[in-house]
Each structure stands twice: as structure tokens, then as C-alpha cells.
Amino acid sequence: MTADASSFSFALAGVEGEARAGTLQTPHGEVPTPAFMPVGTYGTVRGLHPAEVKRAGARVMLGNTYHLHLRPGEEVVRALGGLHAFSHWDRPMLTDSGGFQVFSLEGLRTIEEEGVAFQSHIDGSYRTITPERAVEIQWDLGADIAMQFDHVVPGGSDHALAREGMERSLRWLGRCKTRHLELQSAGEAPPRFPASPPSQALWPIVQGGTHPDLRRASLDGILERGPWTGIAIGGLSVGEPKPVMHAVLEQLAPVLPREVPRYLMGVGFPQDLLAGIARGVDLFDCVAPTRNGRHGSAWISTGRVNLRSTLHRLSKEPLDAECDCETCGTFSRGYLRHLFVAGEILGLRLVSIHNVRFLVRLAEQARAHVLEGTFDGWSREWLRRYQLKGES
Amino acid sequence: MTADASSFSFALAGVEGEARAGTLQTPHGEVPTPAFMPVGTYGTVRGLHPAEVKRAGARVMLGNTYHLHLRPGEEVVRALGGLHAFSHWDRPMLTDSGGFQVFSLEGLRTIEEEGVAFQSHIDGSYRTITPERAVEIQWDLGADIAMQFDHVVPGGSDHALAREGMERSLRWLGRCKTRHLELQSAGEAPPRFPASPPSQALWPIVQGGTHPDLRRASLDGILERGPWTGIAIGGLSVGEPKPVMHAVLEQLAPVLPREVPRYLMGVGFPQDLLAGIARGVDLFDCVAPTRNGRHGSAWISTGRVNLRSTLHRLSKEPLDAECDCETCGTFSRGYLRHLFVAGEILGLRLVSIHNVRFLVRLAEQARAHVLEGTFDGWSREWLRRYQLKGES
């Protein structure tokens, strides 16, 4: 089997329409869903201490295989005890496969059936990632959940290109699974911290662009190659119009297996989180909380706030009076603005903490409302208030 | 009187040779001395959260009047509750007078008896700081301890120039004191957080360059204008040879009043801290812990460590096995190196935490040894070990 069934499980606790509330069990503990996963590109959620990420309520962190492969290299992470010990994160960890990043390197890479040859954006060195290598790297990193290596095509790709990527992703899924099984049966556990069952799940990724027949074929191919403890949906939020993304999710919701979590990759603006949850998604990730945070842009319950604005110069108010994060409980908007204007590092850190907590809490609130059967009404009202000012 | 004697006091608890251990009382609590004060230039110790500065054991923080005057402006800090509330620091705060920064602006400033006219390095605007303005700005900032505005001359200045600066500093001290008394008797308290007695101390600064007769004249002039709750020594560590700095401290130690704390401005490398304590200094400040931290340079008990070095690539060891800081208890050198190589913000933060704790603890250890009468031997052994590798 592809994953140790004793270490991974998913239990649905409530369903309202297509929206779901559940609990994912992993070797590093459980993740109540829906859940937002902050992105720790290089083994750190940018600017934040792992203790801050934990206090923000995050139950699972994402690591980027492509970036960690280039710096410091999976052999270094493994020698230092694996990604959990390396970055001092004792909760579940998920790694992407590097596919998305490798395919973003326009002009720097060559795609063949064997894999993708590319030039490192760090030192110009030539590298190749194959499905087998992607699985091996993630094994060395030691995440709880590894993702298949997939062929990502640009958003808006025509049927022929989307089909090519989808079919190759299925063939690569087979090779990923074979290599993952070999690593597991070799008995050499991925590095783990703290000590935990030596198991790692491998999750497939549904591709097919915006073409319903291809999405369906992708899912069918994935299910033939199962069983799986989770299934991801890739190739969305890459420039296509929002209604198109929603249509794909609406098509997949009733046909995805109910009993495994569904992870919508790279999605995580507040509206998208709620739209995804309404369409049956359980897991999300996005760099936006920290990327926006670094620029002084914060999400609050009534929309978006630009902390560099002179509006906040004399404001004693917290960033978000309804927020329970460390930043809002401690500092004024006036101080936060000052930190951004003066270029002080503490500013981006404090706003990143808030943004991460904001999305984690939004998922927590959605979960509570699904369990109470009030998600639909709450979500509509939440979005109305959030979008009232016309910003997003 | 220049300071509210009921809010400020200093008690010597032990003396060994010239080295002293004492306790400074302020409206925001006590400061056991010797003590190292981290510098919060813009109302934040660069990169650190005030809670981290506190957990590093710092008992008093320094703010830079010149920088805070330009950004965000003392009127903003005052409107937001004063520097304590603004930056969420509930322990004692000391502000410098801006003299040092203004006099560093070669070519951008004009010195007259009235004060110093200069161009802001931020927006090119023309400003003037007089002794009265320096006191008013610090009153608005609301520090526990304000410093006099002084005329700082370059290190190595000849007798004539050093005398000019010293004599002007004395005249300016008189004006600072007059304005400070006016502000106090106006009854309008400086902003304070949390609520505390509405008092602020004003401390004078001994100048006179490297010339013993001028240093002595400076101190005599200061004492004539007293009483004071603390006295600073300025114009050192500005490029003069170490033995020259030591000679000035040795000259002053026996003639400075025993019953007030002595603050050596801008000094804070480990060796200088111990050299200063051995010569009767009670308080120190320096930006080196965070400036070095940002570049991956750390002090440890056996010397200096460059965390960018490839030496640490696979190291599971803590930065300093003898250190009790949050960084050393949590992360490996290999991870810290990775953060610096990858340009991750968390790296500079973790090393800054260590460096601040290192200096704060060095002062704490010195205090304990003075109280036990073992400072001299301990200090010699500490320096021998620290300098063994020839780095410093």
C-alpha cells in the first residue's frame, strides 16, 4: 500500500451541502478540517518562529521540495534529523513535489517523459527531477505527507496541452507510487522528530486544466491506482477566472471519494477559502499571508488594510478589534505603520502573524459552522461584510 | 530638583576593587547593575519582539531620540501613549539626547551656541535641535531617563576642540536642566505605560575627549550643577585605542560620586563590557548584538562564530552549548546557517536573540561575581577563554 493505513485516517464529523468538517490523523497528530496550511518555503514560514506559527493555531505546515532540494539540499535536512527537527516543527508537515516550481521556470527547463531537466535559479547548476527523485527527496525530508510529481500546464491551456499534462501526471503517479513503495519496504524510515511511526503518505494530484472531461479522466486514473489517504486538486488558481475554478470544484465535489481529505493546492485568499469549503475542500495552502504581511497588507473582518497608509499614523486601535492574534492583542495600528515606514523587520513579522492567524481562524470558524449546520448562512454574511468596502 | 528623588535611587550591594554591583530604582522598576541595555533605535530592538527582549533578560531598553524625532516624530509617540506603550515595553527606558547622531552628520549640520541645525537624512528637511528641544522631545517620548544634549567631538580631537565641546556641553547642561525643571513643574507628566509616577530623570554626560584635565573639568562642572541620579561618560569608543579608553575610565573611577550609577555610552562588545565593569561602570549600551546578528555573527563563550561558514552545514550542535537563550535551546547551527544562506529573516532574529542574551548574561554573571568578591579572577579567566582563538 502507498501509505501506512494505521498512521493515516480521516473521519468526517459533519457535512452541510458539500461543505465538510473532519479530522485527519497523521503520525504527528491530528488536523481538524477544513484547515489552512501556512507555507514554510525553506523550512520556515517567512519571518516567523515555529512557536509563533503554532500559537497562530496552524496544525500543519507545508514545505517546498524544489526550494529545499536546492537549499540546503535534502541530504543536509536528513542529516539534521529531517524537516520536523530541522525547523523545530512537531506537528504534521506536508511537502509539495516541486512540480509546480519546476514548471514555472519558463525557458530554464526541458520536459521529457523521464522527467524535467532544469537550471537552478540559485547557482545555475543543471538538475533533473524525475517522479522517482521527487519521491526520494520528500522521503529524505521526512514529511508526513508527500505529493506526487505532476506535469503542471499553464492556466488556460487548450485541451490538447491540458490532456498531455494530465496523462503524463497519471503515468508519473504510477512511477511515484512504485518508488514510494520501494522506499517503505526497504524499511529505512524517513527521519522524524519527535519519534513517530515510520510512515509517510503519498497523495495524488487531479489535473486536467479547465476541461471537465480531463478532470474526470484524471480522477478516474487516480482512483484506479489507489487506495489513497488524501487527494489533491492542482492546476487551479493559476490565472483562470474565479467562476471557472468554482465550476471545476463543483464538478469534482460529488465524484471525489468522501472518505479522504481533499486538498486544493496553492489556494488561500479569504474568499477562495470559503468558496473552496462550500465546494467540499478540506485543506488549503497559500503564501499570501506572509507575502502580503511583508508589504504591510492585512486581512481583517471588514476587508483589507494597508498599514503603510497615513490614515493609521495616530491610531491607537488594534489592526483588527475582532482578532485574537498576538499582534492585535498587543500593538496599535500607529505602531505597526511606524514600523513599516521605518523599514523595521518587526512590522512584517507582526502583520504576518496576524494574517496567518486570520486564515487559520477562518477555517476554524468554518468548521464550527459546518458542525452546527450554519455554514452557508454564516459564510454568505461573512463575505458580505468582508467585501462591503469593495476591496479584497 | 532635576529628578524626582522618590522615583529614582541607586543602592550599592557590593564592591570589588573599582567593580560595583548595585540596584537602580526607576518608575518602571529596578535594574540590577552592571547591566547591558539593548538599543531600540526606532522603538524596537531591531528584528525582535519586546517579549523576546524581555525573555533575554534585558531590564532596560534604550531609544534613540534623533531617530524617533524624525520617524515617527515625538508628537506621534506621545499621542500613542509614550514610548513604553508605543513599543509595548513595560520596563525602564532610557533615551539618548540625539547629540551623538546629530554630530555624526558631517557636512549636514551647523553648530552654534544656540544648538545644531541639520538636514534630516530621511527627507532632507531642515531641523534644529537645541538643548531645550532635546529635553522637550525626550519629555514627549516619556523615557524614565533622559540624557542631556551634548556637543560630541570626533575621537582623537586635539585639546582645543575637545575643550570647546566639553565647555559647550556644560553650558548646554545648564539649559537642559532649566527646561527639564520647567517641564516638571508644569505638572504635565510625560506619557507613561503602565501608569507610573510622573517623573523623569535627566542625566549629564562627562566629555573632554582623551584629555585628563578636560575630563576632570567636565566632571567638576557637572557636579556643580547637580545633584544627579546618574552620570554618563560620553565620547569614548569612537576610534581611540583601547588603552586610552581604559585610562579615561581609570582616571574617572575614583572621582565619580559613588552613590549614582555610571553609564558608559555606546560601549558593549564583550571585552569592553568586562573592561568597563572592572573600572567602575554600571550601565552599557551598544547596537552590536543586533547589528552583528543581522550578519550572522555571534558571540559565544569561546569567541566569535560566523554562522554563514560552511563549517556549520551539517552541525547538529547549538550555537553555544553553554547558553540559556531561546535560540540555543531550540535550533542547530546547521539550521541557522541554512537560514542565513537562504536569506530567511528568522536567521537574523534568532542570532540577535542570542547576542542580546549573551551580553545581558555577561553583565549578570559579572554582578554575581562582584557580589562574591570573585570578579577579578573570573573576568581574567573569561577573557582568556574568549580570546583563545585570536578572534574577538
Side-chain angles (χ1 to χ4, degrees), chain A residues 41-44 46-50 52 68 71-72 75-76 79-81 86-88 294 313-316 330-332 334-335 338-339 341-342 344-346 348-350, chain B residues 41-44 46-50 52 68 71-72 75-76 79-81 86-88 294 313-316 330-332 334-335 338-339 341-342 344-346 348-350:
Chain A
T41 302
Y42 280 111
T44 157
R46 196 148 289 161
L48 303 190
H49 192 289
E52 283 167 336
L68 289 163
R71 284 195 305 207
E75 71 286 3
V76 172
L80 294 174
F86 185 61
S87 54
H88 206 76
R294 287 199 295 285
R313 184 162 169 268
L314 294 171
S315 173
K316 285 186 170 183
T330 309
F331 299 99
S332 65
Y335 182 65
H338 160 68
L339 294 177
V341 171
E344 286 288 344
I345 297 163
L346 181 61
L348 63 92
R349 177 176 161 189
L350 294 177
Chain B
T41 302
Y42 279 110
T44 157
R46 195 148 289 163
L48 303 190
H49 192 289
E52 284 167 336
L68 289 163
R71 284 195 305 209
E75 71 286 3
V76 173
L80 294 173
F86 185 61
S87 55
H88 205 78
R294 287 199 295 285
R313 185 162 167 267
L314 295 171
S315 174
K316 286 187 171 182
T330 309
F331 299 99
S332 64
Y335 182 65
H338 160 67
L339 294 176
V341 171
E344 285 288 346
I345 297 162
L346 181 59
L348 62 90
R349 175 175 162 190
L350 294 177

Side-chain angles (χ1 to χ4, degrees), chain A residues 206-212 215 233-236 240 242-254 256 279:
Chain A
V206 178
Q207 289 290 356
T210 56
H211 309 281
R215 286 282 173 183
I233 303 163
L236 289 179
E240 78 285 355
K242 286 285 163 76
V244 172
M245 175 168 92
H246 296 169
V248 172
L249 295 178
E250 284 161 17
Q251 180 209 344
L252 290 173
L256 280 161
R279 293 164 179 86

Side-chain angles (χ1 to χ4, degrees), chain B residues 6-55:
Chain B
S6 64
S7 302
F8 293 89
S9 66
F10 183 68
L12 273 181
V15 173
E16 179 191 343
E18 295 293 349
R20 301 142 49 96
T23 304
L24 169 65
Q25 272 298 344
T26 84
H28 279 90
E30 63 180 36
V31 181
T33 62
F36 174 77
M37 307 188 279
V39 179
T41 302
Y42 279 110
T44 157
V45 177
R46 195 148 289 163
L48 303 190
H49 192 289
E52 284 167 336
V53 180
K54 218 165 158 173
R55 290 197 300 266

Side-chain angles (χ1 to χ4, degrees), chain B residues 103 106 109 151-158 161-162 209-211 235 238-240:
Chain B
F103 284 95
E106 274 297 351
R109 41 94 179 146
H151 182 166
V152 183
V153 297
S157 291
D158 64 22
L161 182 57
T210 55
H211 308 280
V238 288
E240 78 285 357

Side-chain angles (χ1 to χ4, degrees), chain B residues 342-360:
Chain B
E344 285 288 346
I345 297 162
L346 181 59
L348 62 90
R349 175 175 162 190
L350 294 177
V351 178
S352 293
I353 288 175
H354 167 80
N355 281 348
V356 168
R357 176 66 193 140
F358 186 82
L359 280 187
V360 166

Side-chain angles (χ1 to χ4, degrees), chain B residues 45-356:
Chain B
V45 177
R46 195 148 289 163
L48 303 190
H49 192 289
E52 284 167 336
V53 180
K54 218 165 158 173
R55 290 197 300 266
R59 301 297 292 258
V60 48
M61 189 194 288
L62 187 142
N64 284 130
T65 291
Y66 169 81
H67 292 292
L68 289 163
H69 169 63
L70 295 184
R71 284 195 305 209
E74 64 279 9
E75 71 286 3
V76 173
V77 175
R78 182 171 188 125
L80 294 173
L83 197 48
H84 287 88
F86 185 61
S87 55
H88 205 78
W89 179 255
D90 60 4
R91 292 183 174 181
M93 186 88 82
L94 180 151
T95 42
D96 64 9
S97 66
F100 183 79
Q101 281 80 14
V102 166
F103 284 95
S104 309
L105 298 169
E106 274 297 351
L108 287 174
R109 41 94 179 146
T110 321
I111 307 159
E112 293 180 353
E113 184 61 23
E114 175 62 17
V116 182
F118 64 98
Q119 240 191 308
S120 159
H121 75 281
I122 305 290
D123 62 5
S125 61
Y126 290 91
R127 314 243 177 171
T128 300
I129 295 187
T130 61
E132 290 80 6
R133 279 294 291 138
V135 163
E136 288 161 5
I137 295 169
Q138 293 179 83
W139 186 262
D140 280 343
L141 295 175
D144 300 84
I145 299 162
M147 300 303 301
Q148 79 152 100
F149 192 61
D150 54 345
H151 182 166
V152 183
V153 297
S157 291
D158 64 22
H159 194 275
L161 182 57
R163 178 174 179 164
E164 185 191 333
M166 182 276 286
E167 291 182 343
R168 180 166 288 132
S169 294
L170 281 179
R171 292 191 295 274
W172 284 359
L173 175 60
R175 288 166 56 188
C176 285
K177 181 173 175 176
T178 300
R179 184 65 188 129
H180 197 250
L181 284 170
E182 285 171 6
L183 289 169
Q184 290 206 317
S185 55
E188 198 191 350
R192 278 299 161 72
F193 160 85
S196 66
S199 58
Q200 182 182 64
L202 175 70
W203 286 6
I205 303 172
V206 178
Q207 291 290 356
T210 55
H211 308 280
D213 61 321
L214 299 182
R215 287 281 174 184
R216 184 59 201 249
S218 178
L219 178 58
D220 288 345
I222 284 168
L223 296 179
E224 280 166 26
R225 291 163 174 82
W228 309 101
T229 58
I231 296 179
I233 304 163
L236 290 180
S237 199
V238 288
E240 78 285 357
K242 286 285 163 75
V244 172
M245 175 168 92
H246 297 169
V248 172
L249 295 178
E250 284 160 18
Q251 180 209 345
L252 290 174
V255 289
L256 280 162
R258 277 175 59 90
E259 67 279 9
V260 299
R262 304 157 180 185
Y263 161 32
L264 179 55
M265 302 183 82
V267 170
F269 277 64
Q271 318 85 304
D272 299 334
L273 205 78
L274 293 186
I277 293 170
R279 292 164 180 85
V281 175
D282 305 298
L283 294 166
F284 301 84
D285 79 282
C286 191
V287 296
T290 45
R291 180 174 289 167
N292 289 353
R294 287 199 295 285
H295 296 105
S297 176
W299 295 306
I300 70 166
S301 39
T302 53
R304 218 152 141 165
V305 171
N306 173 12
L307 280 161
R308 306 187 73 100
S309 165
T310 190
L311 279 176
H312 310 301
R313 185 162 167 267
L314 295 171
S315 174
K316 286 187 171 182
E317 298 303 310
L319 171 50
D320 184 352
E322 298 172 30
C323 181
D324 60 358
C325 84
E326 296 179 27
T327 300
C328 290
T330 309
F331 299 99
S332 64
R333 287 186 176 200
Y335 182 65
L336 295 174
R337 174 182 186 266
H338 160 67
L339 294 176
F340 277 96
V341 171
E344 285 288 346
I345 297 162
L346 181 59
L348 62 90
R349 175 175 162 190
L350 294 177
V351 178
S352 293
I353 288 175
H354 167 80
N355 281 348
V356 168

Side-chain angles (χ1 to χ4, degrees), chain A residues 121-294:
Chain A
H121 76 280
I122 305 290
D123 61 6
S125 61
Y126 290 93
R127 313 245 177 171
T128 299
I129 294 188
T130 61
E132 290 80 6
R133 279 295 291 136
V135 163
E136 288 161 4
I137 296 169
Q138 292 180 84
W139 186 262
D140 280 343
L141 294 175
D144 299 83
I145 299 163
M147 300 304 300
Q148 78 153 102
F149 192 60
D150 55 344
H151 181 166
V152 183
V153 297
S157 291
D158 64 21
H159 194 274
L161 182 57
R163 178 174 180 164
E164 185 191 332
M166 182 277 283
E167 291 182 342
R168 179 166 288 132
S169 292
L170 281 179
R171 292 191 296 275
W172 283 359
L173 175 60
R175 288 166 58 190
C176 283
K177 180 172 175 177
T178 301
R179 186 66 188 128
H180 197 249
L181 284 169
E182 285 171 6
L183 289 169
Q184 290 206 317
S185 56
E188 198 191 349
R192 279 299 162 71
F193 158 83
S196 66
S199 59
Q200 182 183 64
L202 176 70
W203 286 5
I205 303 172
V206 178
Q207 289 290 356
T210 56
H211 309 281
D213 60 323
L214 300 181
R215 286 282 173 183
R216 183 60 200 249
S218 178
L219 178 58
D220 289 345
I222 284 169
L223 296 179
E224 279 166 26
R225 290 163 176 81
W228 308 102
T229 57
I231 295 178
I233 303 163
L236 289 179
S237 200
V238 288
E240 78 285 355
K242 286 285 163 76
V244 172
M245 175 168 92
H246 296 169
V248 172
L249 295 178
E250 284 161 17
Q251 180 209 344
L252 290 173
V255 290
L256 280 161
R258 280 173 58 88
E259 68 279 10
V260 299
R262 303 156 179 185
Y263 160 32
L264 179 55
M265 303 183 80
V267 170
F269 277 64
Q271 318 86 305
D272 299 334
L273 205 78
L274 293 185
I277 292 169
R279 293 164 179 86
V281 175
D282 306 298
L283 293 167
F284 302 84
D285 79 280
C286 191
V287 295
T290 44
R291 180 172 289 165
N292 289 353
R294 287 199 295 285

